Every structure is written in C-alpha cells, then in structure tokens.
Amino acid sequence: MRIWIDLTNSPHVLVMRPVIECLEADGHEVRVTARNFAQTIELCERLGVAHTAVGRHRGGRLGAKAVGLASRSAALERWARAERRKSGRRFDLALGHGSNDVSVAAALLRIPSSTMFDYEWATVQHNVNCRLARAVVVPDAIPPQRLYRYGAKGKVRAYEGLKEEYYLSDFEPDERVLDELGLDRARAIVVVRTPPVVSLYHRFENDLFAQVLRRLSASAAEQGTQAVVLPRVASQRQELARVPGFLVPEHAVDAQSLIAYADLVISAGGTMNREAVALGTPVYTTFQGRLGAVDERLIEERRLRMLTVAEDLDLSRRPPAETPARVRRDPRVLVELLLSPVSS
C-alpha cells in the first residue's frame, strides 16, 4: 500500500517513527509530511525520518487555528495531488496523531484515514478528526463513551497501556546527552517541560509552574541542582534562557535519554510525563486543565504525582536501585489498529 503520514508536533515524530519502520519493513511505501512547529522538523532530521515540510503553526487563538487548519489542509491536498501525478498512484491510507490537517485533506481527496490521540478533552480538535477518520486509535484508559460526542462511535480502536511504552520499546538511554549538555552526574538533574501555552485546552496562566521555576532557580543557586528546561517554542526559550541556574538547550536533544538519567521530571504537558513513567523516572505533573483518563489512571496507580505546591518537590538525587522494570510493548499493535480501515 501507499501510506501518507502527517506530523504536526514534536511528540508525533517519536510516536510515528516505529510505525513508519514497521510499515516499510512490510513493504509499504510511506510518505511523510511535517509541519514547521516546535521541534518537529528538527526531530525528523535527528531521527532520520524522511519528510516534506508543509506549512507552519498559525498561533494559539481559535481564529488563528481555523486559518491554519484551512490553509495547511489545502496545502496538503495540493501536495498529495502532486504526489499522485508524479507516481501515478493515489494514497491508500492517511495517518496522523491528532493531525486535523491530514484528516481534512484526506477527506477532500476521498482517502480513508486513521487518527490517534491520548487526551480526550481537546474538544475542537476531536470534533474534526474523529468525524472524518475511519479509525480512532486511543489508549484503553479512555472510556469510548467520552468520544461518542465527537462522532467516534463505532470507530474506536483501543490499545493497552501508554503509547510511550510502544515507541520506546526499542529504546536504550545514551549517556552522551549528559556530556552534550555539560551535566555533572554527581549532582541532581531535574528535567522540566513548559506548559503548552498555544493549546486551546491550556488557556490560562499556570501560577504553579511559575512557582516551580522559582523553586528550581533557588535550588540551583543554593544546592547546585541542575535544571534542564525544555521549552516548546522560541519565545519560551528566549525568556527562560535569561533565568539564572537554568540550562535551556538551543536545539532538540535526546530528551528520552535525558529523562532516563534524570532524578526528577516536572512537566505541564502530557507526553514527557508519560515518557518518564515508561522509563521509570519519578515525575510530577503541573497540568492545570481537565485531566484526561490516562493521567487519571497513572495518578491512581501512583506512577504519576500531581503537584499542588512547589515546596513538595524532592530535588535530591535518586538512588539507581529505585528504577522499576520497564514495560515494553510491540509497536505492531499500533500499526494493525491504524491499518484497520483498509485491512478489515
């Protein structure tokens, strides 16, 4: 088959990388488009994912998102038509992880599509992708009934565990990231991920996260804590780089290895929290929006901790013996679910 995969955000590169490898190993032709946003393009290059850059992020406001959806979907449609003219073959299936753009473009071209996501309360996004896709691939923690209002009834394909347990199944941490960042193995390492300020479901100031940054800055000065802050966009990087005691990488780094060697992870988003869970690193969430079912389950299982005040943070070094055994899952499970519109 000829399969089209669209990547619109940094985590999607990680999720789809083993999917692409499995598809190509099975003899399918895979073409990838990627949006110029956050570290998406940079991660494609770093992980060797051949791609065509199409479009950019238009901003976090609803109106800007609507303009972005229309313009990039149209650009993707033109790209796919050009690809068909060059090869003489249409795409058999389009795939995305929360990419509304590819869902719209595929519908216009009458190409069946599958979508993935693991946070069910992104209402605007899911009212588009669930209605247009033929398969909605989600973790089994999400009750299917929560997705019916988006038009997903009869389309839900659930997988066990976390998506991170699938795409990290072949991952082994690489100590070179510590040398690359100049980190001292003898001092505590804390990895921090900023809030997704451009997302519609995170539309307010996160005061708790500001408290966390102040606590880490003070701990860096007083105790030598090494705080590696991973911003989402350039404006965050410029602001955070001015804070004393913070290490803010200028380019995409091997974040998964960094998490594996860290003593603590603090994230206001979702993917990095779950990567820490999958890799056995203690992790706090400072997310202030409506919790999704995946995080609800992880908190109930005490694999993820909800932070309420910055003073609760334990910034000491983590004994190596505390790292639990990892859960590794076969990414072919995801591949089969994504292919279900054309294989059933």
Side-chain angles (χ1 to χ4, degrees), residues 250-328:
E250 294 185 1
H251 304 286
V253 298
D254 182 358
Q256 291 69 46
S257 291
L258 182 61
I259 290 168
Y261 290 115
D263 297 285
L264 182 67
V265 171
I266 309 164
S267 174
T271 297
M272 191 162 288
N273 284 339
R274 294 186 287 274
E275 287 179 340
V277 169
L279 295 172
T281 301
V283 54
Y284 283 98
T285 179
T286 63
F287 182 63
Q288 299 288 284
R290 186 176 184 180
L291 282 180
V294 173
D295 282 359
E296 289 175 337
R297 177 181 287 184
L298 292 176
I299 290 170
E300 182 181 343
E301 295 172 347
R302 299 187 178 181
R303 300 167 71 191
L304 174 67
R305 289 175 281 184
M306 175 68 76
L307 187 67
T308 55
V309 292
E311 287 70 23
D312 287 346
L313 291 172
D314 180 0
L315 301 179
S316 59
R317 292 203 63 210
R318 170 171 58 113
E322 288 187 358
T323 304
R326 287 173 53 187
V327 176
R328 301 174 190 256

Side-chain angles (χ1 to χ4, degrees), residues 1 18 21-22 33 63 80 137 147 157 190 204 221 246-247 272 282 314-316 323 338:
M1 288 190 295
E21 291 176 356
C22 289
T33 49
V137 180
L147 308 180
R157 310 286 187 268
V190 180
F204 41 81
F246 288 175
L247 175 59
M272 191 162 288
D314 180 0
L315 301 179
S316 59
T323 304
L338 289 166

Side-chain angles (χ1 to χ4, degrees), residues 48-62:
V49 176
H51 63 282
T52 300
V54 178
R56 59 182 175 84
H57 196 277
R58 295 295 182 125
R61 295 185 179 277
L62 182 58

Side-chain angles (χ1 to χ4, degrees), residues 6-290:
D6 186 49
L7 309 172
T8 58
N9 202 352
S10 308
H12 307 165
V13 185
L14 305 172
V15 177
M16 290 299 184
R17 189 265 314 165
V19 170
I20 293 168
E21 291 176 356
C22 289
L23 289 171
E24 291 181 335
D26 290 343
H28 301 295
E29 179 187 351
V30 180
R31 298 299 309 276
V32 177
T33 49
R35 181 175 65 167
N36 185 10
F37 174 64
Q39 293 82 42
T40 307
I41 301 296
E42 197 172 351
L43 280 172
C44 282
E45 294 170 349
R46 186 175 171 276
L47 296 177
V49 176
H51 63 282
T52 300
V54 178
R56 59 182 175 84
H57 196 277
R58 295 295 182 125
R61 295 185 179 277
L62 182 58
K65 283 182 174 285
V67 170
L69 174 62
S71 63
R72 188 165 185 271
S73 298
L76 288 176
E77 182 187 9
R78 291 192 297 271
W79 174 86
R81 290 187 186 280
E83 285 293 306
R84 181 174 183 175
R85 287 194 296 271
K86 285 192 297 184
S87 67
R89 293 178 56 202
R90 72 191 301 271
F91 286 105
D92 299 291
L93 182 67
L95 310 176
H97 191 287
S99 170
N100 282 353
D101 306 340
V102 76
S103 298
V104 171
L108 292 171
L109 294 164
R110 299 189 177 184
I111 299 170
S113 67
S114 298
T115 189
M116 285 182 68
F117 55 84
D118 56 3
Y119 178 71
E120 67 271 33
W121 303 125
T123 304
V124 174
Q125 180 187 72
H126 300 331
N127 266 307
V128 176
N129 57 28
C130 288
R131 295 184 192 283
L132 295 179
R134 295 190 185 178
V136 177
V137 180
V138 296
D140 62 1
I142 299 177
Q145 296 81 3
R146 290 188 182 181
L147 308 180
Y148 290 169
R149 63 175 179 156
Y150 305 132
K153 191 170 185 178
K155 302 178 182 180
V156 178
R157 310 286 187 268
Y159 58 86
E160 293 183 357
L162 308 172
K163 73 179 188 300
E164 291 76 11
E165 293 168 340
Y166 293 87
Y167 72 73
L168 292 173
S169 62
D170 61 351
F171 171 78
E172 296 298 337
D174 186 343
E175 287 191 13
R176 287 180 295 181
V177 70
L178 303 180
D179 296 327
E180 178 185 343
L181 296 174
L183 295 170
D184 183 352
R185 293 166 175 77
R187 292 188 286 134
I189 300 171
V190 180
V191 178
V192 185
R193 182 63 159 169
T194 56
V197 292
V198 296
S199 295
L200 287 173
Y201 58 83
H202 207 294
R203 180 73 73 205
F204 41 81
E205 184 70 22
N206 190 331
D207 293 333
L208 176 60
F209 194 80
Q211 295 172 20
V212 168
L213 294 179
R214 287 193 291 270
R215 171 84 193 280
L216 289 173
S217 181
S219 182
E222 298 166 6
Q223 300 172 328
T225 303
Q226 302 168 104
V228 184
V229 185
L230 303 178
R232 293 173 184 268
V233 293
S235 59
Q236 291 179 339
R237 179 178 292 106
Q238 294 166 4
E239 182 178 358
L240 291 166
R242 295 194 293 267
V243 179
F246 288 175
L247 175 59
V248 185
E250 294 185 1
H251 304 286
V253 298
D254 182 358
Q256 291 69 46
S257 291
L258 182 61
I259 290 168
Y261 290 115
D263 297 285
L264 182 67
V265 171
I266 309 164
S267 174
T271 297
M272 191 162 288
N273 284 339
R274 294 186 287 274
E275 287 179 340
V277 169
L279 295 172
T281 301
V283 54
Y284 283 98
T285 179
T286 63
F287 182 63
Q288 299 288 284
R290 186 176 184 180

